[in-house]
Amino acid sequence: PRTGVVDLGTPHAPSLESLAAARPDVVVGDVSMHARLAENVAPLGAELLLLDSTSVAATFEGLEKLAAQTGVAAEMQREIDAARAALAQLALDAPVPTLALFGTAARWLVVTERSWLGDLLGALRFDSVSKDAGGAERIPGYTEISDEQIATTRPALVLVVTHGDPRAIR
């Protein structure tokens, strides 16, 4: 890591000991993943800035908020504007019926538009064939649906994203 940068480990379970040792002024986290850390960060005297990363637009808004707080608003706005322009250029001319799957060592999940990835795919005009599939949603934005339900979706394209050790996911 660069000087002054502290590795807190996994985003799912950051090391509070490393965080405390860093003596931060501001701790930036994801609202859905890190809100529970508020009581642990309070004794450090650091401000906890929780950003919403459930959509592309919300992520950009969070970056704007962080940039304004840290005095780099103009620079960040240039980067955000460039990213928005690049995304607009990447958008498909016509929607493509798509099934997006998220694989872990434990299970396969269907990516919905209620996740950041699903929102990005929608913005790029990948049309989710699983919008109305229902299913258990233990992780916000990702549903468990049966193989039978998946078989009825008839996508033109299947996108696979994995998380974790690829050998364990196979």
Side-chain angles (χ1 to χ4, degrees):
R2 295 184 325 202
T3 302
V5 174
V6 177
D7 182 357
L8 299 178
T10 172
H12 300 285
S15 167
L16 296 176
E17 293 81 14
S18 296
L19 182 61
R23 295 192 297 212
D25 295 320
V26 177
V27 176
V28 180
D30 177 82
V31 69
S32 63
M33 207 180 323
H34 301 118
R36 62 183 170 72
L37 296 178
E39 64 186 48
N40 298 83
V41 172
L44 301 177
E47 177 183 354
L48 179 61
L49 178 60
L50 295 173
L51 307 182
D52 178 0
S53 64
T54 57
S55 71
V56 175
T59 301
F60 285 145
E61 289 168 14
L63 290 171
E64 289 168 342
K65 182 178 177 182
L66 176 61
Q69 185 170 338
T70 57
V72 294
E75 296 91 335
M76 181 62 77
Q77 194 59 58
R78 281 193 297 276
E79 294 296 326
I80 290 171
D81 291 345
R84 284 185 172 134
L87 287 173
Q89 288 182 336
L90 292 172
L92 301 172
D93 293 332
V96 173
T98 304
L99 175 65
L101 298 173
F102 184 82
T104 70
R107 68 181 63 91
W108 286 93
L109 304 169
V110 173
V111 177
T112 74
E113 64 279 357
R114 293 177 304 281
S115 68
W116 187 90
L117 180 56
D119 182 68
L120 174 64
L121 291 172
L124 296 175
R125 299 195 71 202
F126 289 90
D127 186 33
S128 174
V129 296
S130 60
K131 285 181 199 158
D132 302 318
E137 191 173 307
R138 292 186 188 128
I139 301 169
Y142 298 88
T143 60
E144 294 180 42
I145 63 174
S146 70
D147 292 343
E148 291 80 10
Q149 285 176 294
I150 289 175
T152 65
T153 62
R154 304 273 188 221
L157 177 66
V158 176
L159 297 176
V160 175
V161 177
T162 60
H163 179 65
D165 181 1
R167 293 170 301 211
I169 295 167
R170 287 179 196 226

